[in-house]
Amino acid sequence: MHRSIAIVGAGPAGMAAAIEAVRRRCRVTLIDEAERPGGQIYRQAHPALAGEEHAERAELARKHALIERFERVAGQLDYRAGATAYAAFGNGELHISERGRTEVLRPDATILATGVRELAVPFPGWTLPGVMFAGGAQAILKSQKVLPGARAVVAGCGPLPLVVAAQLLRAGGEVAALALLRPLTGMLAHPMSLWHGREIVRDGFRYAATVRRAGVPRLTGYVAVRAIGTECLEAAVLARVDGAGRVVPGSEREIPCDLLAVNYGFVANSELAAMAGARMRRDPVIGGWIPEVDAWGRTSIPGLFTAGDGAELRGALVAEADGTVVGAAAASPDGAAEASPGSELASAIAQRARHLEFQQVVRSTLRLPMELWRLVTDDTIVCRCESVRFGEIKDALANGHRSLNAVKRNVRSGMGWCGGRTCLHAIASLVELSTGSAPTEMMTPRPMARPVSFAALARRSPT
Amino acid sequence: MSSAKFDVLIIGAGAYGLSCAWWMAKRRTGARILVVDEGEFASGASGRNGAGFRMQWGLDLNIRLCQESIRFFETAAEQLDYPRGIELKQDGYLVLAHSPKALATLRSSLEIQHRYGVPSELLDADDCVKMVPALGRNRLAGGTFCGKDGTISPFLLLDSLLKACRREKVDVRYGTRVEKLARANGSFCATVKDGTIEADKVLLCTDWAVPELLASLGFTLPVKSLPKEAIVTVPCAPKVRPILISLEHHISVNQVARGSIIFVVSRAREGTEIVSTPDFLGFAAPKIIDLLPGVADVQVLRTWGGVSSLTPDMQPILGASEVEGLYVAVSSFRGLMTSPAVGRIMSALILENDTNDPVLTQLTPRRFQTGDLIVEPLLNQE
Amino acid sequence: MPSDFTFSFEGKPVSAREGQSVAAALIAAGERCLRIDEAGSPKGAVCGIGACWECRCSIDGVPDTRACMTPARAGMIVRRQRGLDPCIDQ
């Protein structure tokens, strides 16, 4: 009896899981919102937009190798490109919408490989057009072949700002400044772990060389504190922060720009797992609220797995190896596979462990000091969808409403179009900053993960 | 928590609990009143409903409870000293009939409403569609409309009541669950996680959960839980000005100021869990499109659940229980819109033993013993 | 920039290449403000991956369509939404 597996997300984890599940003779349905596989990190441009990707050769080689492996088996699975999983339930149902119709899948197992989105740290002026997440600017550059700004300031922490600055330069853009919360050279203190990610480290040095050759001012220990402009961004204000993350008065520098690309880390797209009732835990560095999983990717809901960054921020190399492992597990009736020595599965498990060692080093660059959240002033918009300012949230906290649900009921944060994706992590951190303790519970996860029309809900395909 | 003694312990801080507390505090300055709730602010049914109020009922007692309450809503900002207001909107309710039988029910209810001065009018199908062009004509027989019906913001009502209660020195504690109730030396003893609470009198405002605490005293009432689910859409262009109720579809529709439309869809279900069930949207979407074809392309943004109370005659239960000093107030799914009147009536009953209001005779817990029950006809649920 | 076709944004022609999203083509044309929200604030693309919904426009009469997730097509009519006005009257 061939097990049926539904996989949500066609990024590295989803593709690897699909390949493995097909290899194990499962009936696989792969659901992904984009028209082509790749997810975010391996996003593919439309074939008509061929050309330079400005990424390092090794990364491109990994991307193309995986995509090719996937394309070879794509015909053996039910690949629903342009489909959306809008709800998952504890009874094993996965609800999807595709081109104006909906369908209820009841697979033997579901793998959520939904990846991450960028973590938002609000600051005054951040809602001006021209202020983007660095990864978003990169997506426009990589897959749309459009320079998202003529003169950029790139800021944040971790490896992504450096990569984006270099790619912008390679595409012919100007980068007026690169501001990093911490120097990346801190990673060099862990040579053994770095060795496991030596290809990535080498790529990193090459990106750094691009930035250096262009003479981009590098401001280490600086963050973006304000965006200035009336109709759009006109300038970014950077300031130095001390070891605790507090802005040093008098250190502000105003830099004219039309793009401010910021990244402070990532948040897992864990809404479907939470909605299905999986037990969650919170770790702000590796994705915020993430499902509790074991080494096989099993959540607390039988038959529900998560793989890749959607389970825990670990990067593309871990995601690919993890996808293989979780795909194998989901293909087995008891959710755990046989990994005999020398087998491909054992090799994937070992690879995953090696790449994870490197990731631990990367994680150290993504820790945000609590004081950094003081960038958010009372007038700063925190929930962009509902235009809720931090001052309103503070009032709710002062009135004793501490949980994210209670704050939501009081000020409407999280009730808009994005379902809290942009603001929830910020609100949780701001609650911790203001009250001394972080909320333990997420905002109650409920359908829909994406808006779907009544007409589509009524046009249900028979199962 | 020490065992300080209170004059009245109110269990449940929803619309009923807070309204009763405020009215009691106003009635007797210095009364020691404590309200406890196991959840958070507005986490219960009062924070999950369709937010509407109507005078269009088929029984005099419901009409009167709502009329009085609506008058209160109209001046709530003043009475509760809440300048921000409770977002009162009186664009009317349109109650729809999709069969000759339902239309007959509307007609006879209209007569009773007019006796009590409710400004409601009968509309034919054409009038209904003129009023709400997004309505479907399929089986539509007609409706009744009352321009004084409308909506408020439940959160702002609860917030205004909470602040007013605290100004009157009412103690309101969230996150406090009463595990059991016992009688002790002529007063009551409520057991909570970190101690006990003593009070001369207790008022249960836990709605469908009332039987749980009554059980610890050896009594019961025929109250059942009725789980319901609701949908909110993305904001869209104005399509539905009055609140809509369809007797046949068991749906209520409320398009709020920001443009989102809230649908509450009832179906016979059991349980007390606040969940969004897997089959809800598949069940609700075709009904919603049948009722309101004009919203077919509007996207659902979110769903949620809530639990109402159900009684054998679909009426609230208000009054003294068989246990002296123990009172109950069960809303039977119309708590928000009757809360001001209920607050006044219960405060008079509890503090002054005033049993004069005829509503107390009609809604007494003892009526289930005599078995003489009259069901409210204008219900939009099973 | 090489162009394959044009679409209209607020009545003005905008060049696009096949395969580009509406948001990318608009950014390339120097149009960063994609809508005015209910508070009157100008908004544009932020996340680039369809997660934040800030880039939503009226596209061919369909309101609240994410510009970063919609491939541009010849003759498309794209309008900025202002507040809750969905611009369904093209």
Side-chain angles (χ1 to χ4, degrees):
Chain A
M1 194 61 237
H2 299 299
R3 276 171 74 74
S4 58
I5 313 234
I7 301 176
V8 182
M15 283 192 283
I19 293 165
E20 185 62 21
V22 164
R23 205 173 69 80
R24 288 168 185 256
R25 324 280 260 353
C26 296
R27 287 176 290 130
V28 178
T29 306
L30 176 63
I31 298 118
D32 189 79
E33 289 187 307
E35 295 299 327
R36 289 168 292 283
Q40 302 310 334
I41 185 147
Y42 292 157
R43 184 184 264 241
Q44 295 189 83
H46 189 281
L49 294 174
E52 270 278 25
E53 284 204 38
H54 310 299
E56 285 296 320
R57 241 171 317 176
E59 183 190 320
L60 291 175
R62 288 192 297 271
K63 168 179 172 180
H64 293 309
L66 177 57
I67 290 176
E68 259 164 59
R69 274 206 302 138
F70 171 76
E71 297 287 8
R72 259 180 262 137
V73 303
Q76 294 170 55
L77 57 99
D78 185 9
Y79 177 26
R80 311 283 197 97
T84 296
Y86 65 86
F89 295 98
N91 64 354
E93 285 181 21
L94 184 69
H95 292 218
I96 66 175
S97 80
E98 189 178 12
R99 312 196 200 287
R101 307 185 59 85
T102 50
E103 198 176 326
V104 176
L105 302 181
R106 294 180 178 86
D108 294 319
T110 295
I111 302 177
L112 300 174
T114 45
V116 290
R117 56 188 185 267
E118 293 179 78
L119 194 161
V121 176
F123 53 91
W126 75 303
T127 63
L128 279 170
V131 181
M132 293 188 73
F133 294 144
Q138 186 189 52
I140 302 260
L141 181 65
K142 268 182 2 184
S143 62
Q144 305 290 323
K145 311 300 179 191
V146 166
L147 204 55
R151 188 168 202 264
V153 168
V154 185
C157 66
L160 188 61
L162 171 67
V163 175
V164 173
Q167 291 175 344
L168 287 170
L169 289 164
R170 292 175 185 183
E174 190 191 340
V175 176
L178 171 61
L180 286 182
L181 178 65
R182 281 186 212 89
L184 290 177
T185 47
M187 289 170 59
L188 295 173
H190 309 269
M192 276 314 295
S193 303
L194 285 187
W195 179 249
H196 294 304
R198 55 196 178 276
E199 273 192 3
I200 296 180
V201 174
R202 193 180 51 216
D203 288 354
F205 280 125
R206 293 217 183 96
Y207 285 127
T210 300
V211 170
R212 195 176 49 246
R213 274 196 294 269
V216 172
R218 291 194 57 165
L219 300 169
T220 307
Y222 276 73
V223 300
V225 299
R226 199 158 61 250
I228 295 178
T230 34
E231 316 254 306
C232 319
L233 176 70
E234 288 159 29
V237 178
L238 303 175
R240 200 155 60 76
V241 290
D242 64 19
R246 281 181 296 252
V247 172
V248 173
S251 67
E252 296 194 347
R253 299 190 195 191
E254 187 176 315
I255 304 177
C257 57
D258 63 353
L259 170 66
L260 172 55
V262 192
N263 176 275
Y264 279 113
F266 302 89
V267 174
N269 292 323
S270 54
E271 291 74 31
L272 286 171
M275 198 190 293
R279 258 197 318 271
M280 310 294 284
R281 64 185 178 102
R282 182 166 181 261
D283 187 325
V285 176
I286 58 173
W289 272 285
I290 50 180
E292 288 182 7
V293 295
D294 64 12
W296 295 110
R298 287 184 288 205
T299 67
S300 61
I301 304 280
L304 184 66
F305 297 76
T306 56
D309 278 355
E312 189 182 314
L313 180 70
R314 295 169 285 185
L317 292 172
V318 173
E320 189 177 332
D322 192 48
T324 303
V325 173
V326 177
S332 315
D334 58 357
E338 277 274 333
S340 38
S343 67
E344 287 190 32
L345 180 57
S347 152
I349 293 174
Q351 271 205 331
R352 182 175 67 177
R354 272 199 306 277
H355 292 308
L356 194 53
E357 269 218 49
F358 171 65
Q359 283 299 312
Q360 305 288 19
V361 180
V362 174
R363 283 174 186 179
S364 63
T365 66
L366 293 174
R367 230 163 280 282
L368 294 183
M370 186 64 2
E371 292 294 309
L372 186 70
W373 292 94
R374 294 200 191 280
L375 289 180
V376 188
T377 66
D378 281 8
D379 271 327
T380 307
I381 298 279
V382 174
C383 168
R384 298 173 67 124
C385 294
E386 300 284 314
S387 301
V388 181
R389 297 170 308 109
F390 182 36
E392 296 173 63
I393 295 173
K394 273 164 76 173
D395 286 344
L397 294 175
N399 282 321
H401 307 302
R402 300 275 167 102
S403 72
L404 291 182
N405 283 339
V407 171
K408 176 193 79 177
R409 274 181 226 116
N410 270 270
V411 302
R412 294 190 54 84
S413 52
M415 290 173 96
W417 279 90
C418 89
R421 280 179 180 79
T422 311
C423 69
L424 278 184
H425 185 95
I427 294 178
S429 302
L430 291 169
V431 170
E432 186 176 350
L433 179 72
S434 307
T435 67
S437 56
T440 45
E441 305 285 315
M442 293 172 83
M443 194 171 82
T444 307
R446 297 184 177 117
M448 320 280 280
R450 293 282 187 276
V452 178
S453 72
F454 289 113
L457 290 165
R459 270 181 231 128
R460 184 136 293 176
S461 302
T463 13
Chain B
M1 195 184 296
S2 66
S3 291
K5 197 153 184 245
F6 291 90
D7 296 321
V8 185
L9 167 66
I10 299 175
I11 306 179
Y16 268 19
L18 289 180
S19 178
C20 291
W22 182 69
W23 276 94
M24 279 189 231
K26 298 285 292 183
R27 209 174 268 280
R28 188 190 293 173
T29 324
R32 287 163 307 161
I33 302 167
L34 169 65
V35 185
V36 296
D37 193 293
E38 65 176 7
E40 299 175 324
F41 171 78
S43 59
S46 293
R48 295 168 179 280
N49 54 66
F53 56 80
R54 55 169 159 131
M55 289 181 267
Q56 293 183 77
W57 293 99
L59 288 186
D60 64 323
L61 65 97
N62 290 319
I63 294 171
R64 289 182 46 246
L65 280 176
C66 291
Q67 272 180 319
E68 178 185 336
S69 299
I70 292 171
R71 278 197 301 272
F72 179 87
F73 290 146
E74 286 166 353
T75 56
E78 241 178 300
Q79 294 206 47
L80 296 169
D81 192 12
Y82 195 71
R84 182 180 174 181
I86 58 172
E87 272 173 24
L88 175 73
K89 182 171 80 114
Q90 281 173 293
D91 286 334
Y93 256 64
L94 178 58
V95 184
L96 297 164
H98 286 76
S99 66
K101 179 159 173 269
L103 192 61
T105 304
L106 285 186
R107 273 205 194 92
S108 55
S109 298
L110 204 66
E111 276 184 46
I112 302 172
Q113 289 161 17
H114 287 169
R115 251 182 267 150
Y116 288 89
V118 176
S120 47
E121 45 178 315
L122 189 68
L123 304 182
D124 63 23
D126 284 333
D127 292 333
C128 291
V129 177
K130 228 180 291 174
M131 187 176 276
V132 183
L135 271 173
R137 278 189 183 274
N138 187 17
R139 302 184 321 282
L140 181 63
T144 56
F145 175 77
C146 170
K148 287 290 189 185
D149 295 339
T151 58
I152 55 170
S153 159
F155 304 111
L156 294 179
L157 177 70
L158 291 177
D159 190 48
S160 61
L161 282 171
L162 175 63
K163 293 193 159 95
C165 279
R166 286 183 167 152
R167 270 199 306 269
E168 302 288 334
K169 306 286 186 275
V170 172
D171 193 353
V172 182
R173 299 182 201 164
Y174 294 96
T176 304
R177 182 181 156 80
V178 174
E179 306 293 345
K180 84 174 198 285
L181 265 184
R183 298 227 64 186
N185 313 319
S187 66
F188 290 89
C189 182
T191 308
V192 294
K193 190 177 68 174
D194 44 0
T196 57
I197 299 168
E198 252 195 272
D200 287 331
K201 297 184 182 177
V202 174
L203 169 61
L204 298 182
C205 292
T206 47
D207 211 46
W208 58 266
V210 158
E212 276 175 34
L213 283 174
L214 284 181
S216 56
L217 288 164
F219 295 93
T220 190
L221 269 180
V223 183
K224 293 225 284 266
S225 62
L226 177 65
K228 287 199 211 185
E229 292 180 73
I231 287 166
V232 66
T233 69
V234 300
C236 58
K239 290 175 194 286
V240 187
R241 199 176 147 96
I243 309 301
L244 295 179
I245 288 202
S246 167
L247 300 178
E248 184 197 277
H249 296 79
H250 308 302
I251 292 176
S252 76
V253 185
N254 173 12
Q255 182 165 25
V256 300
R258 295 190 77 253
S260 302
I261 309 177
I262 297 175
F263 294 88
V264 180
V265 182
S266 303
R267 52 177 175 161
R269 273 178 56 214
E270 298 196 344
T272 61
E273 275 198 73
I274 295 173
V275 282
S276 291
T277 56
D279 59 343
F280 174 61
L281 286 170
F283 169 82
K287 284 185 174 260
I288 288 170
I289 293 174
D290 181 60
L291 172 65
L292 217 52
V295 303
D297 290 328
V298 178
Q299 293 171 301
V300 173
L301 183 62
R302 206 167 47 249
T303 67
W304 69 91
V307 186
S308 282
S309 50
L310 202 61
T311 58
D313 54 2
M314 311 292 231
Q315 312 288 23
I317 305 175
L318 303 178
S321 74
E322 291 171 54
V323 182
E324 201 189 315
L326 179 69
Y327 301 83
V328 298
V330 173
S331 70
S332 187
F333 69 85
R334 61 193 86 107
L336 198 71
M337 68 174 87
T338 57
S339 57
V342 167
R344 178 186 64 77
I345 294 168
M346 294 305 292
S347 65
L349 174 66
I350 294 172
L351 290 183
E352 286 148 26
N353 209 24
D354 181 347
T355 54
N356 286 327
D357 200 306
V359 151
L360 287 172
T361 317
Q362 293 165 301
L363 297 181
T364 172
R366 285 169 238 269
R367 70 183 190 267
F368 302 110
Q369 286 152 17
T370 61
D372 216 351
L373 308 175
I374 308 169
V375 180
E376 162 61 53
L378 284 198
L379 302 165
N380 65 312
Q381 59 180 66
E382 296 170 288
Chain C
M1 189 193 70
S3 156
D4 294 348
F5 56 85
T6 63
F7 64 88
S8 130
F9 177 64
E10 291 290 283
K12 296 176 299 199
V14 172
S15 306
R17 294 171 62 185
E18 201 201 332
Q20 280 182 336
S21 67
V22 170
L26 288 173
I27 289 171
E31 297 284 356
R32 274 151 214 287
C33 173
L34 300 183
R35 68 184 183 97
I36 312 287
D37 74 7
E38 292 104 72
S41 308
K43 293 285 183 77
V46 181
C47 76
I49 61 170
C52 74
W53 291 85
E54 290 279 60
C55 65
R56 56 191 197 271
C57 304
S58 163
I59 298 187
D60 283 344
V62 180
D64 300 308
T65 310
R66 290 170 294 179
C68 72
M69 299 287 279
T70 306
R73 292 201 210 295
M76 232 175 196
I77 298 176
V78 180
R79 293 195 52 201
R80 267 192 203 114
Q81 290 174 192
R82 276 166 179 72
L84 290 176
D85 171 17
C87 316
I88 52 176
D89 55 326
Q90 303 176 46

